[in-house]
């Protein structure tokens, strides 16, 4: 099917993004050659156990990541996804990214599956905090340490966010999957749910992923470049 024929305003559209979408903004992905998990072991930094063991180390690592993310600007992929939100009457963006760049590009209908690096919460009582500019981890009034409001390995995703993500994927008629390795659950299941319910799936990635086997169209390339080329479809 021709993409131009497939893309219609009144179709229900779901976009699922992963770290590859922010790669052209200068934010490292997790896997692959220069991926974050090549240099750092997730279990040493991105787990509740790691934070319990050494709060200052984990806080410092997130400060380093905030430093990179803070300097980053959205790229054409983020901006075209923002155009998509205005184009489709029924639209939701489901992202695994914690960098907040989709919001910065203008998207409002976002489900942040893995949280947001600019938000914080108490490790003990879960009280929410906004941005904290400190070299050392701070404590909540309950005595617990304050940590980034992101999902760590071994932790559950927010139930309501996850339920909405599955429901929207089930209802989707068009589903775009951009810049994700499709290796991390439950996010990786969402395109399968969409497919089972008849959605037309378009994947954009530098390379094929496990999801590629079920997609209707695989478009190889950098998300920013590919989306820039598709921009005219969403006006
Ligand atoms: P990965 O690092 O696993 O995968 C990045 C994907 O983006 C790969 O498939 C790359 O081929 C692709 N890619 C890289 N640059 C690209 C570009 N310019 N354009 C298009 N595609 C590009 O990242 P995620 O799939 O996002 O979770 O990882 C999922 C989760 O694993 C993350 O949210 C994080 C991590 O552990 C948590 O921290 C909970």
């Amino acid at each position: 099917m021709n993409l131009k024929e497939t893309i219609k305003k009144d179709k229900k559209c779901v976009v699922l993004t992963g770290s590859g979408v922010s790669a052209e903004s200068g934010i490292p992905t997790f896997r692959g050659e220069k991926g974050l998990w090549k240099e750092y072991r997730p279990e040493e930094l991105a787990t509740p156990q790691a934070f319990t063991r050494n709060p200052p180390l984990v806080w410092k690592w997130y400060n380093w990541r905030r430093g990179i993310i803070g300097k980053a600007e959205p790229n054409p992929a983020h901006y075209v996804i923002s155009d998509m939100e205005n184009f489709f009457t029924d639209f939701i963006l489901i992202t695994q990214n914690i960098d907040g760049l989709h919001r910065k590009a203008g998207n409002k209908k976002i489900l942040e599956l893995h949280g947001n690096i600019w938000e914080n919460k108490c490790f003990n009582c879960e009280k929410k905090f906004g941005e904290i500019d400190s070299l050392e981890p701070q404590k909540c009034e309950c005595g617990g340490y304050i940590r980034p409001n992101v999902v760590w390995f071994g932790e559950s995703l927010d139930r309501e966010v996850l339920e909405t993500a599955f429901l929207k994927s089930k209802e989707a008629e068009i589903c775009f999957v951009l810049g994700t390795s499709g290796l991390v659950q439950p996010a990786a299941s969402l395109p399968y749910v969409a497919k089972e319910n008849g959605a037309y799936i378009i994947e954009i990635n530098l390379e094929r992923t496990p999801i590629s086997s079920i997609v209707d169209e695989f478009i190889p390339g950098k998300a920013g470049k590919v989306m820039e080329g598709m921009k005219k479809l969403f006006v």
Side-chain angles (χ1 to χ4, degrees):
M1 206 190 295
N2 178 315
L3 257 190
K4 206 166 181 248
E5 279 168 33
T6 311
I7 292 167
K8 297 273 179 257
K9 265 182 189 308
D10 57 352
K11 286 198 181 161
K12 293 180 177 154
C13 177
V14 166
V15 175
L16 173 67
T17 63
S19 63
V21 158
S22 296
E24 286 153 90
S25 296
I27 301 174
T29 59
F30 291 92
R31 295 168 187 82
E33 279 294 288
K34 292 184 193 147
L36 274 181
W37 298 147
K38 264 243 150 69
E39 226 171 305
Y40 304 96
R41 287 159 59 90
E43 59 276 20
E44 277 168 18
L45 295 160
T47 64
Q49 293 79 1
F51 189 69
T52 307
R53 215 164 34 232
N54 195 341
L57 174 73
V58 175
W59 185 259
K60 205 170 143 195
W61 188 63
Y62 276 93
N63 264 349
W64 172 76
R65 288 183 64 193
R66 285 189 195 104
I68 296 175
I69 290 170
K71 288 194 205 90
E73 289 298 328
N75 67 59
H78 297 104
Y79 287 117
V80 177
I81 294 170
S82 160
D83 291 345
M84 289 169 82
E85 179 169 321
N86 297 326
F87 177 81
F88 290 102
T89 33
D90 193 321
F91 174 92
I92 194 86
L93 167 61
I94 306 171
T95 187
Q96 297 166 84
N97 300 345
I98 59 172
D99 55 36
L101 286 184
H102 283 301
R103 209 170 288 281
K104 209 169 175 183
N107 279 102
K108 291 193 174 60
K109 297 176 183 168
I110 315 178
L111 296 173
E112 290 178 315
L113 285 183
H114 295 164
N116 189 303
I117 198 167
W118 301 107
E119 294 167 7
N120 293 284
K121 67 177 177 189
C122 174
F123 191 54
N124 181 40
C125 71
E126 304 224 327
K127 182 179 171 190
K128 297 280 195 305
F129 295 86
E131 242 178 271
I132 295 176
D133 186 12
S134 163
L135 294 175
E136 297 297 326
Q138 301 294 303
K139 282 194 170 172
C140 173
E141 59 257 29
C142 81
Y145 271 112
I146 299 173
R147 54 163 281 184
N149 188 18
V150 298
V151 176
W152 282 334
F153 288 91
E155 291 186 320
S156 308
L157 276 61
D158 182 280
R159 215 176 110 191
E160 206 179 313
V161 169
L162 190 61
E163 276 176 13
T164 312
F166 271 95
L167 183 70
K168 287 290 188 181
S169 301
K170 207 170 160 181
E171 290 173 355
E173 294 170 283
I174 305 178
C175 174
F176 284 82
V177 182
L178 297 99
T180 178
S181 57
L183 293 173
V184 175
Q185 295 295 351
S189 300
L190 297 170
Y192 292 85
V193 170
K195 179 73 182 177
E196 266 167 34
N197 289 279
Y200 190 86
I201 320 272
I202 301 136
E203 183 182 33
I204 300 162
N205 200 305
L206 292 180
E207 56 191 27
R208 296 183 77 83
T209 70
I211 296 169
S212 309
S213 61
I214 60 147
V215 305
D216 296 281
E217 289 200 38
F218 176 81
I219 309 178
K222 291 189 174 179
K225 200 152 182 253
V226 173
M227 292 307 277
E228 184 66 38
M230 287 172 72
K231 191 178 156 85
K232 53 187 178 299
L233 296 173
F234 307 113
V235 286

